[in-house]
Amino acid sequence: PYCYLQDERSKQWRVQAVAVSPDSFQSRKALPSQWQGLRDEELSKKSGIPGCVFVHMSGFIGGNKNFDGALAMAKAALTM
Protein backbone atom coordinates (compact mmCIF):
# COMPACT_ATOMS: atom_id res chain seq x y z
CA PRO A 1 0.00 0.00 0.00
CA TYR A 2 1.01 3.59 -0.57
CA CYS A 3 -1.15 5.26 2.07
CA TYR A 4 -3.78 4.60 4.68
CA LEU A 5 -6.61 6.53 6.30
CA GLN A 6 -6.83 7.02 10.03
CA ASP A 7 -9.82 8.18 12.09
CA GLU A 8 -8.56 10.66 14.67
CA ARG A 9 -11.95 10.65 16.47
CA SER A 10 -11.56 14.40 16.77
CA LYS A 11 -13.75 15.14 13.77
CA GLN A 12 -10.78 14.89 11.41
CA TRP A 13 -9.46 12.14 9.20
CA ARG A 14 -5.80 11.67 8.30
CA VAL A 15 -4.17 10.31 5.19
CA GLN A 16 -0.62 9.10 5.75
CA ALA A 17 1.98 7.83 3.33
CA VAL A 18 3.50 4.43 4.04
CA ALA A 19 7.26 4.39 4.69
CA VAL A 20 9.56 2.45 2.36
CA SER A 21 10.57 0.35 5.38
CA PRO A 22 9.60 0.27 9.08
CA ASP A 23 12.72 2.18 10.14
CA SER A 24 12.60 4.79 7.36
CA PHE A 25 11.19 8.30 7.21
CA GLN A 26 11.10 8.14 3.39
CA SER A 27 7.60 7.66 1.97
CA ARG A 28 6.76 5.24 -0.82
CA LYS A 29 4.71 8.04 -2.37
CA ALA A 30 4.35 11.32 -0.51
CA LEU A 31 1.32 13.56 -0.85
CA PRO A 32 1.73 15.92 -3.84
CA SER A 33 4.44 18.56 -3.56
CA GLN A 34 1.92 21.23 -4.65
CA TRP A 35 -0.03 20.55 -1.43
CA GLN A 36 2.89 20.35 0.98
CA GLY A 37 2.89 23.00 3.69
CA LEU A 38 -0.60 24.25 2.82
CA ARG A 39 -3.56 24.49 5.20
CA ASP A 40 -7.31 24.91 5.23
CA GLU A 41 -8.96 26.91 2.42
CA GLU A 42 -5.70 27.43 0.52
CA LEU A 43 -5.16 23.66 0.43
CA SER A 44 -8.79 22.97 -0.48
CA LYS A 45 -8.55 25.42 -3.40
CA LYS A 46 -5.21 24.06 -4.62
CA SER A 47 -6.32 20.42 -4.40
CA GLY A 48 -9.92 20.95 -5.48
CA ILE A 49 -11.00 18.89 -2.45
CA PRO A 50 -13.31 20.48 0.14
CA GLY A 51 -12.58 20.24 3.85
CA CYS A 52 -8.81 19.98 3.73
CA VAL A 53 -7.03 20.76 6.99
CA PHE A 54 -3.30 20.44 6.23
CA VAL A 55 -0.50 18.61 4.46
CA HIS A 56 2.85 18.38 6.26
CA MET A 57 5.86 20.13 4.68
CA SER A 58 7.39 16.75 3.78
CA GLY A 59 4.12 15.34 2.46
CA PHE A 60 4.05 12.26 4.69
CA ILE A 61 0.69 13.13 6.29
CA GLY A 62 -2.36 15.28 5.67
CA GLY A 63 -5.82 15.79 7.07
CA ASN A 64 -9.39 16.45 6.07
CA LYS A 65 -12.53 17.25 8.05
CA ASN A 66 -14.32 14.13 6.81
CA PHE A 67 -13.74 10.61 5.54
CA ASP A 68 -14.80 11.35 1.96
CA GLY A 69 -12.37 14.27 1.79
CA ALA A 70 -9.48 12.20 3.16
CA LEU A 71 -10.30 9.43 0.71
CA ALA A 72 -10.37 11.94 -2.15
CA MET A 73 -6.95 13.25 -1.04
CA ALA A 74 -5.53 9.73 -1.00
CA LYS A 75 -6.94 8.89 -4.44
CA ALA A 76 -5.77 12.18 -5.96
CA ALA A 77 -2.30 11.74 -4.46
CA LEU A 78 -1.94 8.35 -6.14
CA THR A 79 -2.63 9.80 -9.57
CA MET A 80 -0.36 12.86 -9.30
Side-chain angles (χ1 to χ4, degrees):
Y2 290 100
C3 65
Y4 66 92
L5 301 177
Q6 179 179 353
D7 177 7
E8 289 292 304
R9 302 281 177 202
S10 63
K11 307 290 186 232
Q12 289 184 15
W13 284 80
R14 306 278 170 134
V15 57
Q16 183 171 342
V18 174
V20 294
S21 67
D23 59 340
S24 173
F25 289 106
Q26 182 182 2
S27 299
R28 291 185 188 185
K29 181 164 177 61
L31 294 169
S33 60
Q34 307 94 297
W35 301 355
Q36 293 175 11
L38 300 181
R39 298 192 60 85
D40 305 316
E41 192 60 32
E42 183 180 8
L43 176 56
S44 290
K45 285 180 182 176
K46 185 75 171 182
S47 67
I49 301 168
C52 290
V53 178
F54 78 100
V55 170
H56 189 271
M57 292 292 292
S58 68
F60 86 98
I61 195 167
N64 196 288
K65 293 178 183 175
N66 60 65
F67 174 81
D68 290 333
L71 184 59
M73 290 174 75
K75 287 180 177 180
L78 293 173
T79 62
M80 297 177 84

